[in-house]
Amino acid sequence: MPSIIPLPDGGKIVKTNCFECHAKCGVLCEVDKNGTLVGVKGNPDDPRNEGRMCAKGLSAPKILYDPERLRVPLRRIGERGCGQWEEISWDEALDWLVERIQTLTETYGAETIAYGQGTGRGTNQWTKRAGNSGGRVHHSLAPGNICLGPMMVQSMIQFGMLPIYDGCDFDHADCIVFWGCNSMWTEATYTSGQIGRSRDRGAKLIVIDPLFEHPLAAKADHFVGVRPGSDTYLAYAWINVIINERLYDRDFVAHHTNAPMLIIEGSNAPLTEAHVTPGGNKRTMLVWDRKTNGFAPLNERGADEDLEYRGTLTLADGSSVKVKTVWLELKERADAWTPEAASERCWVSPERIRESARTYASAPSATINVFQGVEEQTNCRDTLQLINIIIAITGNLERVGGNLSMPFWNHMMPLGGRDPKTQKELVLVDERASGDLIGTSNPSVVFEAMRTGKPYPVKGYISVQGNPLSWSENTALVKESLMHLDLLVVMDYYLSPTCELADLVLPSAHWTERDYIADEVCCEWVFGQQKAVEPLYERKSDVWFWRTLGHRLNPEWWPWETDEELFDWQLAQTHAGVTWAELKDKWIHQLPRPASRNFEENGFLTQSGRVELYTPVSFFKHRDPLPTASEPKESVYSTPDIAKEYPLTGVTGRRYPIYYHSAYRGIPHLREIVPEPQVIFHTSLAKKLGIERDEWVWIESPTGRITMKARPSDGVDPRVCFIPHGWWQSCPALGLPGYPDGCANANMLTSDRAYNEEFLTPGLRSTLCRIVKKEGE
């Protein structure tokens, strides 16, 4: 059936994909004979959402025709932030912008311009290409350091792929784990059907989350109410149970991970051929071969690798060292974290830890989904590495019903082009964290360079669908930074708080108004996400903007004259085996299977060709190559002095199924469902403070203070509170207010004092804070 279906009355049905969130559900858009979008419903032919739709997707016509949407390019004519604009054409806007970029670049160097976005609406790779094509450094002024970046990079290091996000084979799993994520709300339409079917056939369910109000918590076989940021203790306790009760997949561990690899005790350095043979290769890792009773290279054909070897040997230089396998080192670390020991730190009973670990590891197949609950922590690298180890040692990687590789993720990064040669030299980080695994600038340090000009000036920021006054930690400093810029450009749907400070505001086309390729989070398929209606007013697609601006500035990097040419190139680079015209016509196309699905023949795309429990890249960066049971850099245990004044552990970023981060609080029928920001904390604390439900309260941290309505609950630990993010937009149709100057912005509370060393991640999900009763009105 063609992707455009004519209707008898002159209208049409357009097969496309929703983009009110990352799920990109297949939809049918009904357009009348006048070209008006009159309705959207789910497409039952999409194998993921099967016709299901969420409230956001069903609201597409309301969003498309919302009178508050931006319509034309606006250029500031008064002081920054004064709200005075002039309407200009796109030609004027681009001419002005190109001239400003060239002037700033000639004066300060290309590194003075930062390119960024918000959560991304399918343009992640083009934002990266815009930064890389500048030729000096890509700052990546976008929240990749808190969303997807840590999870993806860590998985690529250990697995050579990303099998966690859309790689969870819920439909065939015998046990499903949601660890610090809530896909039932964030990707509801395709997750819900799979979970429902699996539960109907008896699959077990484990929810690891601090909030019992998680939509699956009450339905779970095990709800594990972990303290925010303490997931490393829980994960090591799971590994303790799995190893000591022999619930691991010994064959997978021995033959498909680097667990048999030998390391030198004390230093944890990998034992290499150069250590034992004069002139040997420094990159050849060694194992103990039981067949020859001697050393052999990892992966040597015919070797019988000893998983549990320990011994003393004389090196080529004559020194004597003790060596052991990675597996023994992992086991020894896990032995320190019995369920009883972990219980004291993660606030979960030993019985719950033990039984949940057994349930997962005993299942014939099991899948773990993780996301920002564990990503947005300063100890996220340890947590992610531990969870990846759990997936691997139980043999649930590339197993039906486990965690599977998906084609898109290994093809995404090359679309952004190679990093500039001066990337490492000019990347902006400081003593708080090097970010050497993620490789981009720390947004906080970029904002600081805007304010101070050190270590060099950042004078320009160009953002598509980005609102750092909502997504970035320590919002007050971010606002001060933006006020120092010579050039601030924002392309968006609405006049966001960041737009209000801009020099140039550009109107972004809604997904119903623009063509694009739906590939990210699309599992094994790619979709022709064609427009349903012609763009209204002067709106343009984000892809059109990046391509057009890029072509003017650097045509060698941006050679495409049309979006269609770019789409054809994109499909060719990702080996989809289809052109844009063909994809648009057929709407859905299945991608080739990743080679790692046949890992016994092909291995994994890692340094060793195996799953890396021990990550050599960490060792060579002078870090521990195995994870530690670590604490967030600010917490009730690591910073007790701060905790005396701010005893609650605050979790920012609580999801709403009707909103997409900070979007759509202006849509009346969505705003009616959750009309005001509410902080969730335990009923016992409310009683102690004399606070009633729906009473406005202060939430305070060492960084700042905001106000929200109180919602006492028994579904949260008395030592924890939940603070939703994204509140700024008003809803004129209902007479409901916006929240100016960050007065209800969760990131006014979050800190820029400490970051994860490898990924530059702040502790957004474990902010120390307190609830204070307001006096008077």
Side-chain angles (χ1 to χ4, degrees):
M1 183 181 292
S3 61
I4 298 180
I5 306 166
L7 295 177
D9 63 359
K12 61 183 177 181
I13 300 291
V14 180
K15 287 184 178 181
T16 187
N17 294 75
C18 175
F19 205 153
E20 301 305 351
C21 77
H22 283 291
K24 301 185 184 69
C25 296
V27 294
L28 301 173
C29 291
E30 182 179 352
V31 180
D32 70 16
K33 62 182 180 181
N34 298 315
T36 301
L37 180 67
V38 295
V40 175
K41 62 181 180 180
N43 185 349
D45 292 336
D46 188 328
R48 302 165 311 128
N49 70 305
E50 302 169 308
R52 288 179 294 273
M53 287 285 288
C54 74
K56 297 189 295 290
L58 292 169
S59 301
K62 295 288 186 182
I63 297 167
L64 172 63
Y65 298 115
D66 186 354
E68 299 296 313
R69 285 274 309 281
L70 290 167
R71 299 182 176 188
V72 298
L74 302 173
R75 184 166 58 194
R76 176 172 62 86
I77 56 175
E79 294 294 319
R80 189 178 299 283
C82 72
Q84 297 179 24
W85 309 95
E86 62 174 340
E87 295 184 2
I88 59 175
S89 69
W90 270 100
D91 283 340
E92 288 178 280
L94 287 170
D95 288 344
W96 180 87
L97 176 55
V98 168
E99 188 276 329
R100 293 297 298 139
I101 292 172
Q102 290 173 340
T103 298
L104 289 172
T105 299
E106 289 168 5
T107 305
Y108 301 104
E111 60 270 27
T112 201
I113 306 292
Y115 296 86
Q117 61 184 55
T119 188
R121 299 184 189 277
T123 57
N124 302 49
Q125 56 269 53
W126 311 125
T127 305
K128 180 185 178 186
R129 194 172 189 85
N132 284 341
S133 63
R136 294 278 287 167
V137 65
H138 174 37
H139 294 301
S140 185
L141 197 56
N145 61 324
I146 63 172
C147 176
L148 187 60
M151 183 170 70
M152 182 165 65
V153 174
Q154 187 62 39
S155 294
M156 289 291 181
I157 289 171
Q158 290 187 259
F159 299 147
M161 60 183 178
L162 176 63
I164 295 172
Y165 194 2
D166 53 343
C168 294
D169 190 7
F170 296 130
D171 242 330
H172 303 100
D174 298 297
C175 178
I176 296 166
V177 182
F178 287 99
W179 198 323
C181 68
N182 180 3
S183 301
M184 287 295 289
W185 279 4
T186 56
E187 286 83 38
T189 48
Y190 71 79
T191 304
S192 59
Q194 296 170 340
I195 300 299
R197 285 191 294 269
S198 291
R199 291 290 278 167
D200 285 346
R201 60 176 174 75
K204 300 295 184 181
L205 178 62
I206 300 171
V207 173
I208 302 173
D209 199 278
L211 184 63
F212 189 72
E213 292 185 14
H214 187 293
L216 292 177
K219 300 175 175 64
D221 296 279
H222 301 286
F223 172 70
V224 184
V226 65
R227 173 175 66 90
S230 69
D231 305 85
T232 58
Y233 308 115
L234 175 65
Y236 255 129
W238 269 35
I239 294 171
N240 179 297
V241 173
I242 290 166
I243 293 179
N244 289 308
E245 296 189 10
R246 301 189 70 80
L247 299 175
Y248 58 92
D249 185 330
R250 187 176 180 87
D251 181 73
F252 189 91
V253 169
H255 299 111
H256 302 296
T257 79
N258 66 354
M261 196 176 84
L262 292 171
I263 56 177
I264 299 171
E265 290 198 48
S267 69
N268 279 333
L271 184 70
T272 70
E273 188 180 62
H275 283 116
V276 299
T277 304
N281 192 323
K282 294 180 179 180
R283 294 187 174 274
T284 300
M285 311 296 179
L286 298 181
V287 298
W288 184 259
D289 181 8
R290 284 178 294 208
K291 186 179 293 184
T292 63
N293 202 34
F295 297 111
L298 182 69
N299 291 323
E300 182 171 276
R301 188 182 297 273
D304 182 10
E305 299 177 354
D306 190 340
L307 190 59
E308 293 162 337
Y309 178 81
R310 184 192 300 270
T312 302
L313 68 138
T314 302
L315 301 182
D317 64 4
S319 62
S320 180
V321 297
K322 293 180 179 180
V323 298
K324 60 184 172 184
T325 63
V326 165
W327 183 246
L328 287 180
E329 175 66 18
L330 177 66
K331 183 181 184 302
E332 288 168 14
R333 295 189 184 204
D335 282 343
W337 291 102
T338 63
E340 287 72 21
S343 175
E344 297 179 11
R345 284 299 181 102
C346 67
W347 301 350
V348 179
S349 72
E351 295 76 16
R352 181 74 70 184
I353 295 172
R354 190 171 280 109
E355 289 305 315
S356 59
R358 287 170 176 164
T359 298
Y360 170 79
S362 300
S365 66
T367 190
I368 299 179
N369 198 16
V370 304
F371 217 96
Q372 287 171 274
V374 297
E375 274 195 305
E376 293 180 0
Q377 304 283 2
T378 54
N379 60 348
C380 63
R381 196 275 292 189
D382 286 326
T383 304
L384 290 166
Q385 187 171 356
L386 282 164
I387 294 172
N388 287 344
I389 287 172
I390 290 169
I391 293 169
I393 67 174
T394 54
N396 281 305
L397 186 66
E398 296 290 45
R399 171 186 287 175
V400 172
N403 289 84
L404 304 174
S405 58
M406 288 297 159
F408 170 76
W409 298 105
N410 287 73
H411 297 142
M412 173 185 171
M413 300 311 292
L415 296 175
R418 298 179 67 88
D419 288 344
K421 292 181 179 179
T422 51
Q423 177 75 19
K424 290 183 180 180
E425 171 191 340
L426 294 172
V427 71
L428 289 175
V429 294
D430 60 17
E431 68 281 354
R432 287 172 290 185
S434 67
D436 50 21
L437 289 186
I438 201 164
T440 56
S441 298
N442 185 338
S444 182
V445 183
V446 179
F447 290 130
E448 187 174 344
M450 293 176 187
R451 297 192 305 274
T452 67
K454 298 177 182 179
Y456 55 78
V458 174
K459 294 291 188 178
Y461 176 27
I462 302 171
S463 172
V464 167
Q465 302 285 5
N467 182 13
L469 292 183
S470 178
W471 63 249
S472 182
E473 66 275 12
N474 198 344
T475 309
L477 273 183
V478 175
K479 184 173 183 178
E480 181 184 337
S481 303
L482 299 182
M483 293 296 289
H484 280 77
L485 287 173
D486 289 352
L487 174 66
L488 176 58
V489 180
V490 186
M491 187 171 183
D492 211 331
Y493 285 175
Y494 293 93
L495 195 67
S496 71
T498 304
C499 286
E500 291 175 350
L501 302 182
D503 301 288
L504 186 64
V505 175
L506 304 173
S508 183
H510 188 245
W511 62 265
T512 57
E513 301 174 281
R514 54 108 165 120
D515 289 333
Y516 198 54
I517 296 170
D519 45 16
E520 181 187 4
V521 199
C522 289
C523 301
E524 300 186 38
W525 296 274
V526 62
F527 298 87
Q529 191 181 18
Q530 65 182 310
K531 62 188 175 185
V533 298
E534 292 302 315
L536 302 175
Y537 308 104
E538 296 299 319
R539 296 170 188 157
K540 299 285 189 181
S541 82
D542 306 337
V543 177
W544 179 93
F545 170 70
W546 282 132
R547 179 183 61 76
T548 304
L549 178 64
H551 189 73
R552 289 200 183 197
L553 293 171
N554 192 339
E556 184 178 345
W557 273 71
W558 300 88
W560 309 284
E561 297 286 347
T562 65
D563 288 354
E564 290 76 13
E565 289 180 10
L566 182 147
F567 296 156
D568 279 339
W569 178 83
Q570 178 180 350
L571 290 164
Q573 299 304 303
T574 56
H575 311 291
V578 66
T579 66
W580 167 246
E582 292 166 342
L583 179 62
K584 187 167 65 168
D585 183 61
K586 65 190 294 191
W587 172 64
I588 182 172
H589 175 73
Q590 189 150 13
L591 294 167
R593 257 173 85 110
S596 59
R597 296 277 181 93
N598 300 317
F599 60 85
E600 294 197 5
E601 294 80 28
N602 301 319
F604 294 94
L605 293 174
T606 61
Q607 181 178 342
S608 65
R610 301 188 181 194
V611 172
E612 309 254 334
L613 309 184
Y614 170 109
T615 55
V617 65
S618 297
F619 176 80
F620 293 121
K621 291 182 180 295
H622 309 291
R623 295 208 174 81
D624 197 335
L626 281 167
T628 58
S630 56
E631 189 70 25
K633 292 184 178 179
E634 289 189 5
S635 77
V636 292
Y637 294 112
S638 58
T639 53
D641 290 343
I642 297 177
K644 286 179 183 178
E645 293 295 320
Y646 302 94
L648 293 179
T649 300
V651 180
T652 63
R654 178 182 184 268
R655 295 292 184 263
Y656 298 107
I658 55 170
Y659 298 139
Y660 183 42
H661 292 297
S662 67
Y664 307 140
R665 286 161 180 80
I667 303 301
H669 66 275
L670 298 180
R671 184 67 176 266
E672 285 178 330
I673 299 170
V674 183
E676 295 164 319
Q678 298 174 324
V679 56
I680 302 173
F681 55 98
H682 198 265
T683 50
S684 63
L685 180 59
K687 184 176 181 180
K688 177 182 176 181
L689 297 176
I691 294 171
E692 301 292 332
R693 184 184 176 94
D694 288 333
E695 180 179 340
W696 288 93
V697 298
W698 292 118
I699 312 160
E700 299 176 343
S701 79
T703 306
R705 179 171 79 163
I706 62 172
T707 185
M708 289 185 176
K709 278 194 170 183
R711 188 160 78 73
S713 169
D714 290 329
V716 61
D717 189 286
R719 297 161 286 187
V720 177
C721 67
F722 285 79
I723 310 160
H725 74 304
W727 285 91
W728 61 267
Q729 194 174 19
S730 65
C731 184
L734 296 179
L736 290 173
Y739 297 89
D741 300 319
C743 68
N745 180 354
N747 278 319
M748 294 291 287
L749 304 173
T750 54
S751 167
D752 61 350
R753 290 184 294 276
Y755 291 90
N756 169 263
E757 185 66 32
E758 296 86 358
F759 298 121
L760 305 170
T761 313
L764 304 184
R765 300 294 177 117
S766 54
T767 295
L768 293 179
C769 63
R770 64 190 176 203
I771 305 292
V772 178
K773 182 179 175 66
K774 280 190 172 182
E775 300 298 333
E777 285 288 328

